[in-house]
Amino acid sequence: MEERQTGEMAETGKLPEENAQNPKHKGGRRRRKRFFLIAFLLIVVATLAVAAYLYYRGVVYYRTHFFPNTKINGMDCGDMEAAPIVEALESRIDGYALAVLGRDYETGESDVVLGIIAPEDIQLQYVGTREAVESLLQQQDEFFWMEAYLDRQYDYTLEQDMNFDEDMLGSLVKSWEACKRKNMQMPQNAYISEYSEETGGYEVVPETVGTSFDVQKAIPRIVEAVSAQEAAINLEEQGFYREAAVKSDDKRLNRTVDDANKWLGTKIVYDWNGTEVVVDREILKDWVSIEDEKAVLDEEAVDAFVKEQAGAYDTYGRRKNFMTTYGYEISLPGRNYGWKTDVAGETEELIALIYQGSTIEKEPLYSIRARQKGSNDIGSSYLEADLNSQHLYLYQDGNLVLETDFVSGTMISDFGCVTPEGIFGMLYKSTDAVLVGETYRTPVKYWMPFYGNYGLHDANWRGAFGGDIFVTGGSHGCINLPPSMAAQIYQYVSEGFPVICYYPQGIPYIGPPAEPEPEGGVPEGEPNPEEVPVG
């Protein structure tokens, strides 16, 4: 035991208990810890003192300087005092100018510079800039200057009051050429052009913008623009120019032009009794006009046109040449046969077609139609009655289908009983009619009137036909036919069928003196007192 203890002591040089409880050893360690603590505290205090000093210096500095990252009216003012900022801001007035834009007084072109207002022209200067900048600086809390170094931005817009001579500004504006009354052009309203041969119609002529405006009303707005330091002001955009009261998009003008051009676009191709008659722009341009900004159709001109065409192409009632069965040509009055335009009806229809702007091919309305178009409107199917020979021929499509003797009106009673000559159209046909006069009431089986109450009918009371019977023993004006022939003829004829009656050797009238019947004859539809169909 003792040997081991001695050996341990030899190895360490001291006993364990002695090492652990040595007072000198513990005191050294404490002194070292105290030293380091004091040194640390001194460093902290020194650091805080430096920081406090720097912060204080910053507070003092930023009482008279703007924070970093500060802009006034777009100018970088960081770390600057008020005085140089004021000087810099006020120096900007030297580069200021107001451009006044509008319409060129000669051409009316927009966005043209009418004049420039420079500071020296109106004694322009800033007022209160120093006070305004210093006010901003006073609003700055210098105790928070460190925040400016943390990327915080300070952006101010400084409203700088301006002082200038408004009378000088007004005089300057009035001196510009565009602002002189003598150079101003009044706007012109849009209007409807005259008829154009080139375009074949009318059009809306656009308004002119004009260059006239109220200068006295514009000056206060220019003053405002200078006070607000605007770079430009456009008087046209501001609505100072006098505008046309009627513009090209005016509904009434455009409706009028559309109506007129619609009517002018009408095209009617007529087949007027075999003749082509065209109503198109060449004619319509004289009928369509603009009056009091309204489209007007001259309806009287339309009526005159229809009457003119009817006069040119109607054949009703006109004399016509006719080639007889015997091969000679005679001229006969067209009593109630031919083409007759319904003037009133066609005028009304044409007016309606023009208002619709129609494009069609058509015939005019006819009140009476012939069997064939053209001047020779009789055609190849007709009844031919030779009143001297008392012989009748019936042609169908150019072929003679029957012929017969007859007895026509007497020549000894009065001229009203004379069967008239001329070219007629069958009025109608009927069966079982009763012919009534002052002294007779005669039933007939086939009744075919062709002029007033002159007509063809069967006459079963007669035993002979033809020859000279008609001179002293004729009818009251009708053509009496053998019953069998009347029945056959009745099957061929119809309303409008041509009936040609003529006296190639003249009328052998030997009765009391009387004026011959005029070519106009008995008016259509007016009964002949000598012979009236009934039932």
Side-chain angles (χ1 to χ4, degrees):
M1 287 292 287
E2 293 177 356
E3 292 177 355
R4 286 197 294 272
Q5 292 177 351
T6 302
E8 292 175 0
M9 290 176 62
E11 292 175 1
T12 62
K14 59 182 177 178
L15 293 175
E17 295 85 354
E18 191 176 22
N19 290 335
Q21 298 179 4
N22 190 337
K24 292 181 179 181
H25 179 71
K26 290 179 69 176
R29 292 179 62 187
R30 289 174 181 166
R31 284 193 297 271
R32 285 194 299 273
K33 289 181 179 179
R34 188 179 297 113
F35 173 78
F36 285 120
L37 177 59
I38 292 171
F40 174 74
L41 291 174
L42 289 175
I43 292 172
V44 170
V45 170
T47 301
L48 290 175
V50 172
Y53 174 76
L54 293 176
Y55 174 73
Y56 172 75
R57 289 297 299 252
V59 170
V60 173
Y61 180 79
Y62 286 112
R63 283 177 181 168
T64 58
H65 294 74
F66 282 95
F67 290 157
N69 302 319
T70 297
K71 289 186 177 181
I72 300 177
N73 289 358
M75 183 177 71
D76 186 3
C77 298
D79 293 312
M80 291 180 66
E81 292 183 301
I85 294 174
V86 171
E87 183 179 354
L89 289 175
E90 290 191 340
S91 67
R92 289 185 171 187
I93 202 169
D94 296 332
Y96 175 74
L98 175 67
V100 180
L101 308 178
R103 296 173 182 166
D104 184 277
Y105 70 91
E106 292 181 321
T107 65
E109 181 184 356
S110 298
D111 301 325
V112 173
V113 176
L114 306 184
I116 302 291
I117 298 177
E120 60 271 18
D121 296 329
I122 57 175
Q123 298 180 357
L124 177 65
Q125 59 185 358
Y126 287 122
V127 178
T129 305
R130 177 174 295 279
E131 291 79 2
V133 173
E134 289 178 349
S135 176
L136 288 177
L137 185 59
Q138 290 173 6
Q139 295 172 29
Q140 178 177 277
D141 192 342
E142 66 270 18
F143 290 99
F144 292 93
W145 64 269
M146 295 183 67
E147 290 184 5
Y149 289 91
L150 300 177
D151 290 334
R152 182 171 177 181
Q153 303 291 322
Y154 303 89
D155 200 346
Y156 301 104
T157 299
L158 184 65
E159 297 295 336
Q160 293 174 271
D161 292 332
M162 305 185 76
N163 185 23
F164 57 91
D165 190 324
E166 294 187 14
D167 291 336
M168 292 180 68
L169 183 146
S171 298
L172 175 64
V173 171
K174 292 177 182 178
S175 70
W176 296 338
E177 291 298 317
C179 298
K180 293 179 180 178
R181 185 173 298 277
K182 66 177 183 179
N183 293 332
M184 293 183 181
Q185 301 176 24
M186 292 297 293
Q188 299 295 320
N189 288 338
Y191 63 95
I192 299 174
S193 70
E194 297 293 327
Y195 176 82
S196 170
E197 292 287 352
E198 183 177 350
T199 63
Y202 296 90
E203 61 184 356
V204 175
V205 179
E207 71 281 2
T208 58
V209 294
T211 60
S212 175
F213 68 97
D214 191 329
V215 178
Q216 286 300 124
K217 288 185 177 180
I219 288 175
R221 179 65 188 90
I222 297 173
V223 168
E224 290 179 7
V226 173
S227 300
Q229 302 179 53
E230 297 178 33
I233 178 175
N234 192 313
L235 298 182
E236 183 175 13
E237 293 177 357
Q238 297 282 322
F240 284 101
Y241 282 91
R242 295 181 177 90
E243 300 293 341
V246 181
K247 299 187 177 181
S248 59
D249 59 355
D250 183 81
K251 291 183 178 179
R252 183 179 63 170
L253 288 187
N254 283 279
R255 182 170 57 250
T256 297
V257 168
D258 289 345
D259 286 345
N261 289 340
K262 176 183 176 182
W263 304 346
L264 288 166
T266 300
K267 186 172 183 179
I268 311 296
V269 180
Y270 279 104
D271 175 359
W272 218 306
N273 187 19
T275 300
E276 182 178 275
V277 176
V278 179
V279 176
D280 60 8
R281 204 176 302 272
E282 284 302 307
I283 292 177
L284 291 166
K285 68 181 181 182
D286 296 326
W287 298 353
V288 177
S289 61
I290 305 294
E291 297 179 12
D292 297 328
E293 296 184 352
K294 291 183 179 179
V296 177
L297 174 64
D298 188 345
E299 296 185 1
E300 292 184 359
V302 179
D303 178 65
F305 170 82
V306 174
K307 288 178 179 176
E308 180 182 356
Q309 307 314 307
Y313 304 112
D314 281 2
T315 58
Y316 181 84
R318 296 182 179 179
R319 295 192 70 87
K320 300 177 177 67
N321 292 331
F322 176 74
M323 185 64 68
T324 68
T325 298
Y326 299 105
Y328 54 86
E329 188 176 65
I330 58 175
S331 175
L332 296 172
R335 300 282 191 167
N336 67 347
Y337 181 82
W339 294 97
K340 185 176 183 180
T341 301
D342 179 353
V343 173
E346 184 54 39
T347 298
E348 182 179 350
E349 184 164 316
L350 178 54
I351 288 171
L353 291 171
I354 294 171
Y355 284 140
Q356 295 166 11
S358 302
T359 300
I360 61 170
E361 297 180 2
K362 70 183 296 288
E363 286 185 332
L365 296 178
Y366 293 109
S367 57
I368 298 176
R369 303 176 68 93
R371 286 304 176 97
Q372 178 174 293
K373 289 184 177 180
S375 57
N376 180 20
D377 54 12
I378 297 172
S380 57
S381 298
Y382 54 87
L383 277 170
E384 177 185 345
D386 184 335
L387 296 171
N388 287 127
S389 299
Q390 295 286 285
H391 199 74
L392 181 146
Y393 307 90
L394 174 60
Y395 288 90
Q396 189 70 27
D397 297 327
N399 298 312
L400 179 63
V401 294
L402 65 81
E403 56 182 302
T404 181
D405 288 335
F406 60 80
V407 176
S408 62
T410 181
M411 296 290 155
I412 62 172
S413 180
D414 63 62
F415 205 80
C417 290
V418 174
T419 302
E421 73 172 351
I423 300 173
F424 309 94
M426 191 73 70
L427 301 177
Y428 62 91
K429 67 178 183 177
S430 66
T431 57
D432 300 322
V434 177
L435 308 182
V436 179
E438 292 182 0
T439 60
Y440 64 89
R441 184 180 180 86
T442 306
V444 297
K445 191 169 185 179
Y446 303 103
W447 171 236
M448 296 163 279
F450 56 83
Y451 184 60
N453 288 311
Y454 295 100
L456 300 95
H457 60 79
D458 53 299
N460 57 9
W461 58 87
R462 289 190 179 278
F465 296 89
D468 295 330
I469 298 173
F470 76 103
V471 175
T472 58
S475 70
H476 293 90
C478 286
I479 295 177
N480 292 176
L481 297 168
S484 62
M485 300 306 295
Q488 294 183 56
I489 292 171
Y490 190 88
Q491 301 305 314
Y492 282 101
V493 301
S494 58
E495 181 180 343
F497 196 84
V499 177
I500 296 93
C501 300
Y502 57 90
Y503 293 91
Q505 287 85 42
I507 301 174
Y509 179 69
I510 55 177
E515 290 293 328
E517 180 189 355
E519 289 192 3
V522 178
E524 182 182 346
E526 182 176 313
N528 184 323
E530 298 300 322
E531 201 158 15
V532 180
V534 179

